[in-house]
Every structure is written in structure tokens, then in C-alpha cells.
Amino acid sequence: MGPGDLDKALCDLPLIPNPNVIRGVASLDDAGVYKLTDELAIIQTIDFFTPVVDDPYTFGQIAAANALSDVYAMGGKPLTAMNVVCFPTKSLDISVLKDILRGGLDKMREAGVALVGGHSIDDTELKYGLSVTGTVHPNRLVTNAGAKAGDKLILTKPLGTGIISTAVKAKMADEETAAKVAKCMATLNDKASELMSEVGAHACTDVTGFGLLGHTVQLAQNSQVGINIYIASTPFFPEAGEFAKRGLCPAGLHRNREFYATAVRIASEVPSHMQDILFDPQTSGGLLICLAARKAELLLNKLRQVGVGDVAIIGEVVSEPRGVVTVISQKKA
Ligand code: CO
Ligand code: CO
Ligand code: CO
């Protein structure tokens, strides 16, 4: 089963058309969007998963930042959230859950989001996340279907968190690397989203489980364009490159590569550890923003001014081949 097969099962449902649903199940976007009035739409999303780090408080922060990110990716403002908890009460002390919830709440506070409820069940495996509701003016909604030929692509966080998390679990990464990556995953995409709306973007998505290339393929296919990615300008954690060279890769990476193979063309000059990084499933990754070429440097500078440091223009949108992502080392002169 590929990463998209579960999504397909959802899309095969006999959905009821509704004129107020702006982005729904069939849109394969980051979140659902429902128009309430001509001036107001609500954005709804849910995300929860098993721990990606050992420390419960940090896990809570990362899970919350990740869930909130889908609202930011739509150009919206998250307002309320509900905790989603699966907890093994027989094998773990309840203090672990308290620390996770405290981490999540601290991120909600940072985001200006109100916790309004939640649901928990006893489960054999620990899982935590949020369901989030936000708002956006329907005219300011940023979907993953609006990329235009000539646009530049901006990525706001470095890649490689999945490979490094795998190394941490295998006790192969040092504490400094583990802390650096955890901090990156726990960072909100709020500033990137606000500045994207301020400058104006054509399309956006956040880079998560399908890796940079999986999410870029979705952008290309939903927008009916081609996308070129230049690896010489793509930010990634150098440690991820080292671990990938030693063959350390999460299982999801291989699933992503197989699933998106037909929609991705990678030049032979791209080394295999870089290919791994491009397919690496990210937890709470950065925003991938498509915007007019003349605005790209402006957004880049604004992002750097507010401390979004590892940000770069990583590629551009082309008219052909549609729905295909081409990876080369750098733009040909
Ligand atoms: Co998303
Ligand atoms: Co999501
Ligand atoms: Co309940």
C-alpha cells in the first residue's frame, strides 16, 4: 500500500456536492475550507501521530506545531484546537501524557489559539495531535492549485528531519543534532504564513509525510503545471546527508520514492543521498510557497528579517511537462 492509498479510499466515497465547500476531500489540499459568508471561510484540519522524539513535552510541541501548520499553509489564522489523544494507560505513567499536553498547550499559546476540548482513548500505542479550526477571507485563501508558470518556489525550513529522527532512534545522532532538529520541527509556520499573505502568493502547501517531492508533485498536479527543483539551492541539514550516505533511511522514504516515481524526473547528476533527502518524510516541515518571480526576493528578505533563517528559493514553475517535477543540480544558464 502506498502513502496515497488511504487518501484514495477517502476520495472514493460518494461525496455530496456542496457549493460552500471551497476545498474538500477531493481537493487533496492541506485542509478543508468551508465558506460561511462572502467575507469569511472556516479552515478545518486534523493531524496526530506516534512520538517522533523521546521527550514528551517536546513531542507535544512538535505535534501541535505540525497540526497548526495546515491552517498556515492555506493562508489562514488558527483560532481553536482540540486535543486528540491515544494513550497506553497500562504501560505509561500519566505524567507522560501531562507533559505532552503541556507542550501542545504552550504551542497553542504561542499561536494565539484557544484549546476548546478534545478526546482521548486508551490505546496500545501512544498518539497525540490536534484538530484545528481557523479562518480566512475566501479571496485570500492560498490553495495548492494556483501555481503559475514563471513562479518561484520558496521553502521555509531545511529538509532531512525524518532521516535524522531515524538516526536519533538508532542512537546514532549526537544530542546537539537531535536538539537542533527537534527545535526546527517545533517551530510554528505562523510568520511564514503571515508574510506570504502580506506579499501575495499563488499557491502553498506544507512539506510533511510525502517529502518535498511528494508534496511538490501534488502542487504540480493540482495546478496543472510542471515544477523544476534545483538541489544546489535546497536547504537541508548536513547531518541528514551524512546519515543518508550511510544508508540510514526511514521506511516512509522508500514508500514515497516508489509512489511518486512516475511523476518525478531526477537528473543523473543528482547524488543518491540528495535524492533520499528530497523523498524524506518530514514532520512539521516548512511551507512551500509559489509566488510571482518579482516578489520572491522581497518575501525572502522579509522572512529573514523575522528570523526564518534557513529559507531559500529552491525552484520554479514551468508550463510543461504538466504534473511532473524535474530535479536538477542547478538552473541552466
Ligand atoms: Co499539509
Ligand atoms: Co496535515
Ligand atoms: Co469524546
Side-chain angles (χ1 to χ4, degrees):
M1 197 165 74
D5 289 350
L6 291 173
D7 287 337
K8 265 191 214 136
L10 202 66
C11 292
D12 285 343
L13 287 169
L15 298 167
I16 303 149
N18 184 319
N20 293 320
V21 175
I22 306 175
R23 302 302 281 167
V25 171
S27 310
L28 296 175
D29 212 324
D30 294 295
V33 183
Y34 185 92
K35 190 170 91 171
L36 294 174
T37 69
D38 286 343
E39 278 78 47
L40 190 66
I42 51 167
I43 303 173
Q44 291 177 289
T45 180
I46 178 165
D47 255 299
F48 61 105
F49 45 64
T50 54
V52 289
V53 291
D54 286 338
D55 178 58
Y57 175 81
T58 310
F59 170 52
Q61 286 190 309
I62 293 170
N66 178 72
L68 292 164
S69 176
D70 280 324
V71 175
Y72 293 131
M74 309 297 297
K77 182 173 170 36
L79 295 177
T80 61
M82 294 200 267
N83 283 323
V84 181
V85 176
C86 305
F87 194 81
T89 48
K90 287 174 197 75
S91 60
L92 280 178
D93 192 87
I94 204 73
S95 67
V96 172
L97 178 58
K98 284 182 180 166
D99 286 341
I100 292 171
L101 296 177
R102 205 162 45 80
L105 188 63
D106 278 353
K107 275 293 143 188
M108 288 179 239
R109 189 175 297 130
E110 188 186 331
V113 165
L115 178 67
V116 293
H119 184 70
S120 56
I121 56 167
D122 202 328
D123 197 358
T124 49
E125 196 177 30
L126 170 61
K127 300 174 198 86
Y128 171 66
L130 301 178
S131 100
V132 184
T133 302
T135 56
V136 68
H137 190 292
N139 297 345
R140 294 177 73 91
L141 178 70
V142 186
T143 71
N144 64 6
K148 294 180 174 67
D151 281 358
K152 298 283 186 195
L153 245 74
I154 286 180
L155 177 65
T156 68
K157 282 187 189 180
L159 303 171
T161 60
I163 292 169
I164 294 176
S165 298
T166 305
V168 172
K169 275 181 193 151
K171 308 261 181 264
M172 287 166 73
D174 59 51
E175 256 174 57
E176 203 183 316
T177 305
K180 182 170 72 174
V181 170
K183 191 180 169 211
C184 176
M185 293 191 286
T187 301
L188 292 175
N189 283 327
D190 56 345
K191 291 183 186 124
S193 175
E194 280 161 31
L195 291 174
M196 162 179 86
S197 296
E198 191 184 307
V199 171
H202 290 153
C204 180
T205 191
D206 58 347
V207 180
T208 52
F210 300 149
L212 175 73
L213 289 181
H215 291 282
T216 307
V217 166
Q218 290 181 348
L219 246 174
Q221 292 181 343
N222 276 7
S223 302
Q224 286 293 298
V225 293
I227 293 179
N228 293 345
I229 298 284
Y230 309 121
I231 53 158
S233 1
T234 303
F236 64 95
F237 290 104
E239 294 88 348
E242 295 309 312
F243 290 125
K245 279 179 195 166
R246 289 154 70 184
L248 211 75
C249 288
L253 191 155
H254 300 291
R255 282 199 297 271
N256 287 344
R257 196 200 312 268
E258 278 164 40
F259 192 78
Y260 290 103
T262 55
V264 175
R265 292 174 193 170
I266 304 180
S268 55
E269 75 220 22
V270 178
S272 71
H273 71 274
M274 274 313 298
Q275 300 189 24
D276 288 345
I277 285 169
L278 298 177
F279 282 114
D280 184 33
Q282 304 297 283
T283 299
S284 190
L287 296 187
L288 183 64
I289 303 166
C290 294
L291 79 174
R294 64 188 162 82
K295 293 180 176 178
E297 288 292 335
L298 174 71
L299 180 57
L300 213 56
N301 289 335
K302 281 180 183 275
L303 286 165
R304 285 179 180 142
Q305 273 165 25
V306 297
V308 184
D310 269 318
V311 59
I313 299 173
I314 65 160
E316 61 194 337
V317 181
V318 291
S319 50
E320 300 284 338
R322 285 186 189 186
V324 171
V325 176
T326 306
V327 183
I328 55 177
S329 67
Q330 56 194 312
K331 187 173 176 159
K332 307 265 187 304

